[in-house]
Amino acid sequence: MPLLEPRPHALRPTATTGPAPDRVPDRLAAGTPEPLRADLVALLGPDKVLHEVSDLVRYASDASPYRFVPQVVVLAEDVDDISAVFSYAHGKGRNVVFRAAGTSLNGQAQGEDILVDVRRHWAGIEVLDDGARARIRPGTTVLRANAALARHGRLLGPDPASAIACTLGGVVANNASGMTAGTTRNSYRTLASLTLVLPSGTVVDTAGPDADTELARAEPALCAGLLALKAEIEADPGLVARIRAKYRIKNTNGYRLDAFLDGGTPVEILRGLMVGSEGTLGFIAETVFDTLPLDRHTTTVLLFFPTLACAAAAVPRFNEAGARAVELMDGNTLRASVSVAGVPADWAELPKETTALLVEFRAPDEAAQQAYERTAARLLDGLELVAPVASVTNTFTRDPAAIGGYWKARRAFVTAVGGSRPSGTTLITEDFAVPPDRLADACTALLELQARHGFDAAVAGHAAHGNLHFLLAFDAADPDDVARYAAFMDDFCRLTVGRFDGSLKAEHATGRNIAPFLELEWGPRATELMWRIKQTVDPHGILAPRILLDRDPRAHLRGLKTIPQVEAIADPCIECGFCEPTCPSKDLTTTPRQRIVLRREMLRQPPGSAVGEALLDAYGYAAVDTCAGDSTCELACPVGIDTGALMRDFRHLRHSPREEWLAERTARRFAAVERAARLAVAAADRIGDRLLTSVTGAARKAVRPDLVPEWLPQIPGAAARKLPGTQRAGAAAVYYPACVNRIFGEPAGYRGPSLPEAVVAVSRRAGRPVWIPPDVTGTCCATIWHSKGYQRGNRVMAQRIVEAAWGWTAGGELPLIVDASSCTLGIAREVVPYLTPFHRALHAELTVIDSLVWAADELLPRLDIHRALGSAVLHPTCSMRHLGDEDRLRQVAEACAREVVVPDDAGCCAFAGDRGMLHRELTESATAKEAAEVTARRFDAHLSANRMCEIGMDHATEGRGYYSALLALERATRPGPA
């Protein structure tokens, strides 16, 4: 047994609300039942089958109010795996549901049998025809695809608010549209072709020149059935007219019946039917989109109106003026969005009735932009605008920062409002459309309906297209509250259809909550055609049962998830999944959302349940140990949930008093620890990698793998014993070399000055000399203790560094320059919660500046560039994202190299100080995609600004030699020969 075994049971919830009605049953405590588990392992291999109960639980939730626990999760890697699963399901009478990002708002990404993950191995984009088209795999996020297209001045038509997380497979399967897509730029209109796997296993590329011939040969009954349906629809003029009328406004309820009118052949019909089919007709393995121009000239305004009806009445004016987007946010939405970083705090004081329109014009050039602005300015005359709080201006702007802030508030509608809901309540997101000229009436009717049923809902939406969203919160564990929701839904659906002839789903697809109301909107004739479509394409019913078609009138009340109250930092989570793409451990163990989902399931369970114990046993490694703690999830989360902080708290809970004492002792004697660490690294050059790997491996087993680092071949040699000499007199700043740069040197093969020497030299060269205090040894930014949850050691070092920095800088008269981005973040922000009131007062007087900011803002304008590298690839660190100085890395690099590349898949390396040496598999997983981009070509330099991240990227890229951009700057500005 390791000497310092963690205390896993310290994470057992101290209070539970269980047993909850929707808890995972004890029969699944052992995970996937047999023979299902053995069958799929034999069919696909053990690496493609997730079968532990913790796997089933973390895949049981998505962004919807529903929760269905799968029997098994399959990580499909290619179409052969998909076909094999289809064949197995057919033969065994089982069913299959696909899940990509899990941002579904209606339960489409949940299944009760075989759930297939089609995100992990399904990402990638190939730009075609200089950006005019793009071939995109289904696990690629919209944000990632648009990043690749932006270099060609193009973008995708669909632009859902969840673009940061949602994937193209889900976008097509739900015909998600977003702020600007409307009915002309959505997937149905811009999808050129797709490759699909039919339930029979047949693979169809709709762009293939012989696609129809091959399909007819492989699937004659399917082709005949589709053509018969087409003939039947076209023979009914009334039905044709009804279908065309239904799609004049946004509509994703049911199958796309207009596919039979727009497509002339079975393959063309299938292409249309797959859009919005929610995984019920086949698997979308690849898409080819026609892209649209990225009109970069943007003018935006946020207009405030006294009421929702007044705002809605103004929408047609902006539509007629050519606005690309007209977005509506009601008072509840505006007030809730103050939880989003950058939103004015005084929005919290807005009157409840206040409503805003976010209006945006986009143009290809300056002349067109000015024309739009002149037209828009005239439109403001006569509008009933208000300015209830000081931050409201009601003026147009071109400022990208202001525009970005407006859109951030708008896109956070679901998550920000959901995050402010009462604790323990379930969130329902509804999405409907009416003819745009009926929008004002629909808003009034919706408010009256909500009031009648006792809901104080939030309303927002794509007003330009008559498409509104609203949120309702209720307690799914309370039968009376569920009945109230059910009564509201009945009245809402009848109102939308009967009074407005609207769409019950405009862009979120039918899903579990509207499937029972499909016939109410479409009528029996069209609805029966949809059932026949399903029977024709999926005759054995293996795909996604009860998601789009369901004859049970109460199906929308089945599977509603309870929301147990968890730790305060995570309790606002609505499980939206926005955090997942940025998470370093997403392809290894768990994501921030899944960490919270697992915690909630523990609280659903009664004390001592077999499921609860199994989840607790798995949680230590899967959730706590393999969290990088970088907190980029906080940046991605619209309400700023920092799951990394929660995992650090859990690490602290697992510590024994002895561990905390040892960590505190290490902090108090850090000067000796630092010297010993440097000597050990220096000795490593003589000992050799093989022996060191063996020794550290034995030590990890004896002490604890989460405490003793593993030796990696890419660890560099030791730093110089002495720091460069400097003078305090005349110094423009105090330079603090981080402890990692006092212990570790530069990468193997590097020739040139050390980082401290380079910072000193380039600062002096720019006429901004720096001073290194003589007593920096033994001080640290405290991140070592902070990241591991050692609170006593953290307090010791936090107070020591603040005292020292205050003295070095003469009480804050000089700025403190720090040469590692994580250390800058640590001293500037992360130490604060661990300071005494006295030390907080000292800290408030400090100005802590990252060396990149110092170089870009203070040095570059005063330097001459004498030589440049041909190319440089950058690794922006997660600390840079927190500090907001990623642009400075690029700025410095562009001064040093003619070509600068930031990989599209750049993200947190998960080295996280020494976590990449504690769990090397974490860094290897986190960096896999970025490393593939980097190693696909040659670069003259590999630059970053944090020594441990550079070591991590060296490990990921097999020794490409990452080093600080400050070293490149010193070389570029050095007079004379290089």
Side-chain angles (χ1 to χ4, degrees):
M1 177 181 291
L3 294 175
L4 294 175
E5 184 73 11
R7 301 183 303 164
H9 295 292
L11 301 185
R12 180 178 283 109
T14 55
T16 68
T17 57
D22 61 335
R23 68 188 182 278
V24 174
D26 276 348
R27 60 181 171 78
L28 286 179
T32 301
E34 298 291 3
L36 178 60
R37 172 183 169 182
D39 286 351
L40 289 176
V41 168
L43 181 68
L44 302 168
D47 292 342
K48 298 178 183 179
V49 181
L50 301 180
H51 55 79
E52 302 290 344
V53 66
S54 59
D55 299 322
L56 308 185
V57 169
R58 64 193 175 95
Y59 275 92
S61 293
D62 59 12
S64 78
Y66 297 100
R67 184 167 176 272
F68 292 97
V69 181
Q71 297 294 296
V72 69
V73 178
V74 170
L75 300 176
E77 291 188 5
D78 51 36
V79 293
D80 289 340
D81 287 344
I82 299 291
S83 295
V85 170
F86 284 0
S87 177
Y88 177 81
H90 177 206
K92 299 292 185 178
R94 310 199 73 106
N95 59 71
V96 178
V97 170
F98 305 111
R99 179 189 177 111
T103 54
S104 154
L105 296 170
N106 303 303
Q108 298 99 309
Q110 296 180 37
E112 300 172 78
D113 196 0
I114 302 172
L115 188 70
V116 181
D117 181 312
V118 291
R119 177 196 62 82
R120 184 176 300 188
H121 299 296
W122 295 85
I125 175 172
E126 178 186 4
V127 178
L128 307 171
D129 304 333
D130 194 28
R133 294 183 305 136
R135 188 185 311 278
I136 310 173
R137 304 193 76 206
T140 309
T141 65
V142 174
L143 185 70
R144 172 67 175 82
N146 277 336
L149 288 168
R151 290 192 289 270
H152 302 267
R154 310 289 292 186
L155 83 169
L156 295 172
D159 65 336
S162 56
I164 187 176
C166 70
T167 60
L168 266 299
V171 167
V172 175
N174 294 286
N175 199 20
S177 50
M179 270 68 71
T180 65
T183 58
T184 60
R185 298 162 62 99
N186 59 21
S187 294
Y188 188 79
R189 300 299 178 193
T190 61
L191 184 67
S193 67
L194 53 78
T195 299
L196 64 112
V197 184
L198 292 169
S200 62
T202 299
V203 179
V204 181
D205 177 1
T206 65
D210 300 319
D212 273 295
T213 301
E214 293 173 1
L215 183 63
R217 183 184 306 114
E219 305 276 352
L222 170 62
C223 292
L226 291 175
L227 291 175
L229 286 166
K230 175 180 173 63
E232 184 176 339
I233 291 171
E234 291 180 332
D236 186 339
L239 180 59
V240 169
R242 181 62 178 156
I243 291 170
R244 290 301 189 193
K246 289 296 293 177
Y247 292 113
R248 290 195 186 103
I249 63 173
K250 295 174 71 172
N251 191 328
T252 60
N253 196 12
Y255 291 124
R256 289 286 308 211
L257 293 180
D258 57 345
F260 291 95
L261 306 178
D262 299 331
T265 70
V267 166
E268 291 172 355
I269 293 169
L270 273 177
R271 188 216 68 87
L273 278 177
M274 289 299 293
V275 177
S277 62
E278 304 174 59
T280 63
L281 300 180
F283 170 62
I284 299 170
E286 187 176 81
T287 63
V288 176
F289 273 87
D290 291 324
T291 66
L292 300 168
L294 176 59
D295 294 330
R296 300 181 186 272
H297 294 258
T298 303
T299 299
T300 309
V301 65
L302 190 62
L303 300 173
F304 287 75
F305 296 82
T307 66
L308 186 64
C310 285
V315 171
R317 297 191 185 194
F318 294 107
N319 283 346
E320 293 168 4
R324 180 68 58 83
V326 184
E327 295 293 300
L328 181 145
M329 294 179 280
D330 78 341
N332 283 344
T333 302
L334 293 166
R335 291 197 305 277
S337 66
V338 297
S339 62
V340 178
V343 171
D346 62 5
W347 283 15
E349 308 304 320
L350 287 168
K352 178 181 176 180
E353 296 77 16
T354 303
T355 301
L357 289 181
L358 174 55
V359 182
E360 184 161 285
F361 295 88
R362 300 180 191 171
D365 52 47
E366 176 68 22
Q369 183 177 23
Q370 290 182 8
Y372 275 137
E373 289 172 344
R374 288 191 295 270
T375 301
R378 290 193 295 269
L379 287 179
L380 296 190
D381 296 334
L383 293 181
E384 189 179 352
L385 301 176
V386 295
V389 295
S391 66
V392 172
T393 64
N394 291 320
T395 57
F396 284 91
T397 181
R398 294 184 175 189
D399 177 31
I403 293 171
Y406 292 158
W407 280 109
K408 190 174 183 181
R410 168 60 190 92
R411 291 190 175 99
F413 164 62
V414 173
T415 46
V417 175
S420 65
R421 76 196 187 284
S423 182
T425 58
T426 298
L427 189 70
I428 296 282
T429 305
E430 284 303 336
D431 154 54
F432 71 107
V434 299
D437 60 359
R438 303 290 306 279
L439 182 65
D441 291 342
C443 288
T444 301
L446 177 61
L447 292 177
E448 292 173 352
L449 185 64
Q450 290 171 349
R452 190 186 319 148
H453 288 274
F455 287 109
D456 185 18
V459 179
H462 317 308
H465 311 294
N467 177 195
L468 290 179
H469 308 298
F470 61 90
L471 303 178
L472 306 175
F474 68 97
D475 185 352
D478 181 349
D480 290 338
D481 230 17
V482 174
R484 180 168 65 106
Y485 163 67
F488 172 85
M489 282 300 296
D490 287 344
D491 288 349
F492 161 71
C493 291
R494 284 195 294 266
L495 171 73
T496 302
V497 173
R499 183 168 167 182
F500 297 103
D501 193 19
S503 306
L504 291 176
K505 280 296 177 186
E507 62 176 2
H508 293 168
T510 313
R512 297 180 183 272
N513 51 339
I514 292 297
F517 302 99
L518 181 63
E519 186 171 330
L520 175 66
E521 177 177 339
W522 277 97
R525 173 94 165 91
T527 303
E528 197 56 36
L529 283 170
M530 294 182 188
W531 280 96
R532 288 168 57 193
I533 291 168
K534 172 68 171 172
Q535 177 64 29
T536 299
V537 181
D538 183 19
H540 302 287
I542 67 169
L543 295 184
R546 308 193 71 175
I547 285 178
L548 189 150
L549 297 171
D550 199 324
R551 297 193 192 276
D552 179 1
R554 294 180 59 81
H556 60 303
L557 306 179
R558 190 178 74 94
L560 292 169
K561 68 181 172 188
T562 62
I563 305 291
Q565 186 173 354
V566 294
E567 287 75 12
I569 192 172
D571 196 52
C573 176
I574 65 164
E575 303 174 7
C576 68
F578 283 23
C579 56
E580 293 191 337
T582 192
C583 178
S585 59
K586 63 181 179 292
D587 291 335
L588 177 67
T589 52
T590 58
T591 67
R593 169 169 61 177
Q594 292 173 341
R595 290 176 169 96
I596 296 170
V597 162
L598 289 166
R599 192 66 175 164
R600 283 176 170 160
E601 182 57 34
M602 292 182 200
L603 285 155
R604 291 189 185 98
Q605 294 291 324
S609 80
V611 169
E613 292 302 304
L615 294 179
L616 193 63
D617 289 344
Y619 203 74
Y621 175 76
V624 181
D625 293 344
T626 51
C627 174
D630 66 326
S631 295
T632 53
C633 51
E634 179 187 21
L635 300 177
C637 176
V639 291
I641 294 173
D642 187 351
T643 312
L646 178 61
M647 295 303 107
R648 292 193 293 271
D649 288 344
F650 284 164
R651 288 170 188 166
H652 172 68
L653 287 175
R654 293 193 308 172
H655 295 158
S656 66
R658 183 185 182 193
E659 272 191 79
E660 284 286 333
W661 177 82
L662 285 172
E664 180 184 9
R665 187 175 178 86
T666 300
R668 294 190 183 282
R669 301 189 174 186
F670 190 64
V673 172
E674 178 184 333
R675 285 191 289 268
R678 192 202 154 277
L679 287 172
V681 172
D685 286 339
R686 296 187 293 274
I687 296 174
D689 290 335
R690 180 175 297 181
L691 179 58
L692 282 168
T693 300
S694 176
V695 170
T696 57
R700 283 161 61 81
K701 291 180 181 178
V703 180
R704 181 167 135 206
D706 205 48
L707 285 180
V708 178
E710 177 183 3
W711 181 262
L712 302 177
Q714 287 76 23
I715 293 175
R721 292 180 58 190
K722 292 184 178 181
L723 294 166
T726 54
Q727 298 294 322
R728 181 167 188 167
V734 175
Y735 169 34
Y736 179 66
C739 66
V740 294
N741 292 320
R742 305 193 303 262
I743 294 172
F744 296 105
E746 311 314 321
Y750 171 81
R751 298 291 181 268
S754 67
L755 179 57
E757 290 170 341
V759 172
V760 169
V762 76
S763 297
R764 183 185 301 120
R765 198 173 294 155
R768 304 287 286 162
V770 294
W771 172 62
I772 301 176
D775 55 345
V776 295
T777 300
T779 62
C780 173
C781 66
T783 299
I784 296 172
W785 295 268
H786 175 72
S787 66
K788 294 179 174 61
Y790 289 115
Q791 295 186 0
R792 287 168 57 180
N794 199 353
R795 281 193 289 272
V796 168
M797 189 55 73
Q799 292 169 24
R800 179 186 299 171
I801 186 60
V802 168
E803 282 184 24
W806 190 85
W808 295 333
T809 62
E813 289 187 12
L814 293 176
L816 183 74
I817 311 304
V818 185
D819 64 3
S821 57
S822 62
C823 303
T824 308
L825 181 65
I827 298 173
R829 299 182 190 174
E830 291 176 345
V831 299
V832 175
Y834 301 92
L835 301 177
T836 66
F838 169 75
H839 289 93
R840 288 195 185 199
L842 299 184
H843 185 274
E845 297 182 14
L846 298 177
T847 300
V848 183
I849 299 176
D850 189 73
S851 57
L852 280 176
V853 176
W854 173 252
D857 295 356
E858 293 291 329
L859 306 185
L860 266 181
R862 298 176 170 88
L863 292 168
D864 295 323
I865 304 298
H866 296 289
R867 62 191 62 80
L869 297 162
S871 60
V873 64
L874 308 184
H875 175 70
T877 70
C878 51
S879 296
M880 293 178 197
R881 292 187 59 196
H882 284 285
L883 293 166
D885 59 15
E886 289 175 285
D887 60 323
R888 305 313 210 291
L889 175 62
R890 177 179 281 276
Q891 190 176 343
V892 171
E894 287 177 343
C896 305
R898 290 183 290 275
E899 179 195 10
V900 173
V901 173
V902 177
D904 287 333
D905 287 312
C908 176
C909 67
F911 213 78
D914 64 352
R915 190 143 298 268
M917 298 162 69
L918 300 173
H919 298 286
R920 62 185 293 175
E921 71 276 14
L922 177 60
T923 285
E924 289 166 358
S925 176
T927 57
K929 292 178 181 177
E930 180 179 358
E933 283 190 71
V934 171
T935 56
R937 57 162 288 191
R938 181 185 178 280
F939 292 96
D940 295 320
H942 300 73
L943 306 179
S944 190
N946 188 291
R947 194 70 198 95
M948 301 313 290
C949 297
E950 292 155 13
I951 294 172
M953 287 307 299
D954 273 355
H955 178 65
T957 59
E958 299 180 351
R960 290 297 171 110
Y962 277 79
Y963 56 86
S964 173
L966 274 294
L967 293 171
L969 182 64
E970 191 284 325
R971 176 188 177 278
T973 61
R974 188 189 311 157

